């Protein structure tokens, strides 16, 4: 396993901890409340074969700048922070790929800054609140595994967990979102470890309840690739279908043997699909 190179990027909006791997045209990857480190990220690894990937810790995560105001933890602010990183790196354009809440940031990025994007990949995500909108979502009170997921999330917010306890709880949480939970050890066999930023997670929980940018999706001109696992329990397939219907010139690809992690559950096909798309958009 090769580690990611750690960089601190000075921008007009503060300094950000960024992890870099791969060569080629640039792709930015982030997630709303993950704290990345030099071991990288399974989703981001999908792009390192053909691209130079920038994996970003947002404000309040890792060694990035701490927020001075609560709004700096918002998805909207995250988009402006990513733009400041792009400018600091000297790129006129780059691509963006986001999974789950990273995809929600990607939707906002496409709405407000499509002109900065060569391509946009949104995986297992939504353009509006999903937790209370569909009983197919594991964050909906009517979902049979709702209580299990909530208990695990609250436990993972604790700062006094040992490394082994955090790893065990994270494993149980992730298994709830796999089509084949028994294959967890096969999927997550590389030594990648990341944490959850509790302040960012807490802010997201409130922000998600009022999040709805469906009326603005027509503004996205980046011709995004939208990907969903057919059995996604976090952001159900219907939300990806909705985005595809409302975004001009978008593509939708459904992975029929995946839940929330198609980049691991159907890894070869996932890499083939994104490679084809990136070639079409001139991003490889």
């Amino acid at each position: 396993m090769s580690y990611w190179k750690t960089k601190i990027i000075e921008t007009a909006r503060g300094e950000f901890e960024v992890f870099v791997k791969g060569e080629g045209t640039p792709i930015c990857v982030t997630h709303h409340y993950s704290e990345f480190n030099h071991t990288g990220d399974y989703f981001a690894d999908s792009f390192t074969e053909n691209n130079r990937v920038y994996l970003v810790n947002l404000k309040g995560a890792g060694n990035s700048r701490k927020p001075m105001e609560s709004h700096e933890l918002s998805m909207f602010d995250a988009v402006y922070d990513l733009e400041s990183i792009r400018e600091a790196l000297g790129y006129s354009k780059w691509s963006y790929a986001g999974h789950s809440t990273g995809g929600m940031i990607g939707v906002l990025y496409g709405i407000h800054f499509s002109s900065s994007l060569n391509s946009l990949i949104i995986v297992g995500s939504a353009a509006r609140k999903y937790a209370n909108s569909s009983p197919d979502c594991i964050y909906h009170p009517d979902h049979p595994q709702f209580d299990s997921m909530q208990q695990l999330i609250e436990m993972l917010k604790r700062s006094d967990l040992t490394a082994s306890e955090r790893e065990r709880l994270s494993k149980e949480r992730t298994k709830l979102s796999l089509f084949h939970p028994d294959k967890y050890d096969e999927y997550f066999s590389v030594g990648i470890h990341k944490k959850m930023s509790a302040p960012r997670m807490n802010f997201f929980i409130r922000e998600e309840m009022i999040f709805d940018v469906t009326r603005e999706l027509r503004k996205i001109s980046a011709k995004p690739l939208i990907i969903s696992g057919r059995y996604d329990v976090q952001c159900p397939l219907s939300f990806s279908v909705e985005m595809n219907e409302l975004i001009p010139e978008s593509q939708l690809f459904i992975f029929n043997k995946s839940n929330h992690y198609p980049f691991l559950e159907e890894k070869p096909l996932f890499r083939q699909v994104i490679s084809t798309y990136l070639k079409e958009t001139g991003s490889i």
Side-chain angles (χ1 to χ4, degrees), residues 6 19 28 44 47 59 74 76-77 81 84 117 121 137 148 156 165 167 202 213 223 249 252 258 260-261 267 279 281:
T6 306
F19 304 93
C28 173
F47 303 92
K59 285 178 182 171
S74 70
F76 189 73
D77 268 60
D81 290 340
S84 72
L117 299 173
I121 299 174
C137 176
S148 297
L156 282 165
E165 287 174 332
E167 182 177 0
N202 289 335
V213 294
K223 301 179 181 179
E249 298 186 80
L252 172 64
S258 291
H260 193 54
Y261 298 91
K267 184 176 179 179
K279 287 177 181 176
T281 58

Side-chain angles (χ1 to χ4, degrees), residues 138 145 148-149 152 156 165-178 181 184:
I138 199 167
Q145 293 177 308
S148 297
M149 176 62 85
L152 288 167
L156 282 165
E165 287 174 332
R166 185 173 298 279
E167 182 177 0
R168 178 182 62 81
L169 293 170
S170 295
K171 179 177 180 177
E172 291 307 308
R173 178 175 181 259
T174 301
K175 286 172 72 173
L176 293 175
S177 302
L178 291 174
Y184 176 92

Side-chain angles (χ1 to χ4, degrees), residues 66-80:
K66 304 304 178 187
M68 297 180 182
E69 304 288 344
S70 59
H71 69 80
E72 293 182 80
L73 296 174
S74 70
M75 288 185 283
F76 189 73
D77 268 60
V79 169
Y80 279 87

Side-chain angles (χ1 to χ4, degrees), residues 11-30:
T11 79
R13 294 174 62 84
E15 60 181 35
F16 292 88
E17 185 177 37
V18 177
F19 304 93
V20 187
K21 190 176 183 181
E23 298 296 334
T25 54
I27 291 183
C28 173
V29 176
T30 195

Side-chain angles (χ1 to χ4, degrees), residues 30-275:
T30 195
H31 184 275
H32 190 66
Y33 49 81
S34 288
E35 283 194 358
F36 303 110
N37 55 59
H38 67 286
T39 62
D41 174 70
Y42 285 100
F43 175 69
D45 265 345
S46 303
F47 303 92
T48 58
E49 290 182 3
N50 299 303
N51 296 87
R52 187 170 182 82
V53 183
Y54 292 91
L55 180 62
V56 177
N57 268 338
L58 296 170
K59 285 178 182 171
N63 293 313
S64 290
R65 202 199 81 182
K66 304 304 178 187
M68 297 180 182
E69 304 288 344
S70 59
H71 69 80
E72 293 182 80
L73 296 174
S74 70
M75 288 185 283
F76 189 73
D77 268 60
V79 169
Y80 279 87
D81 290 340
L82 296 179
E83 271 293 272
S84 72
I85 295 170
R86 177 188 62 78
E87 292 170 355
L89 290 170
Y91 293 120
S92 59
K93 286 189 174 187
W94 63 358
S95 298
Y96 179 85
H99 171 238
S100 196
T101 63
M104 297 169 80
I105 291 171
V107 171
L108 284 170
Y109 207 159
I111 290 170
H112 296 284
F113 293 105
S114 270
S115 60
S116 297
L117 299 173
N118 287 317
S119 59
L120 174 60
I121 299 174
I122 300 168
V123 181
S125 197
R128 60 185 174 93
K129 67 176 183 177
Y130 52 86
N132 289 332
S133 300
S134 170
D136 293 330
C137 176
I138 199 167
Y139 300 115
H140 190 288
D142 290 342
H143 192 279
Q145 293 177 308
F146 172 80
D147 290 334
S148 297
M149 176 62 85
Q150 293 304 309
Q151 290 171 7
L152 288 167
I153 288 174
E154 290 305 312
M155 292 176 71
L156 282 165
K157 290 179 183 178
R158 290 171 48 184
S159 60
D160 61 340
L161 293 175
T162 66
S164 61
E165 287 174 332
R166 185 173 298 279
E167 182 177 0
R168 178 182 62 81
L169 293 170
S170 295
K171 179 177 180 177
E172 291 307 308
R173 178 175 181 259
T174 301
K175 286 172 72 173
L176 293 175
S177 302
L178 291 174
F179 184 60
H180 290 295
D182 56 305
K183 292 186 177 183
Y184 176 92
D185 291 330
E186 175 186 333
Y187 297 145
F188 297 91
S189 58
V190 181
I192 293 175
H193 306 283
K194 60 184 179 181
K195 297 179 181 179
M196 178 191 296
S197 168
R200 293 197 65 88
M201 165 62 98
N202 289 335
F203 191 94
F204 171 75
I205 290 172
R206 296 191 296 272
E207 186 179 20
E208 191 269 344
M209 294 303 295
I210 59 170
F211 182 70
D212 187 346
V213 294
T214 50
R215 288 179 294 180
E216 297 186 84
L217 291 178
R218 58 182 175 77
K219 296 179 181 178
I220 299 177
S221 59
K223 301 179 181 179
L225 172 63
I226 301 168
I227 289 174
S228 177
R230 184 170 295 280
Y231 302 99
D232 195 329
V233 296
Q234 293 204 36
C235 291
L237 172 60
S238 59
F239 293 95
S240 288
V241 171
E242 178 181 64
M243 286 190 288
N244 185 55
E245 291 174 347
L246 296 173
I247 300 174
E249 298 186 80
S250 62
Q251 304 176 39
L252 172 64
F253 196 97
I254 301 168
F255 285 77
N256 292 312
K257 296 179 181 179
S258 291
N259 191 318
H260 193 54
Y261 298 91
F263 51 92
L264 294 175
E265 298 176 271
E266 296 181 72
K267 184 176 179 179
L269 179 58
F270 184 87
R271 296 198 175 198
Q272 177 186 329
V273 169
I274 62 171
S275 177

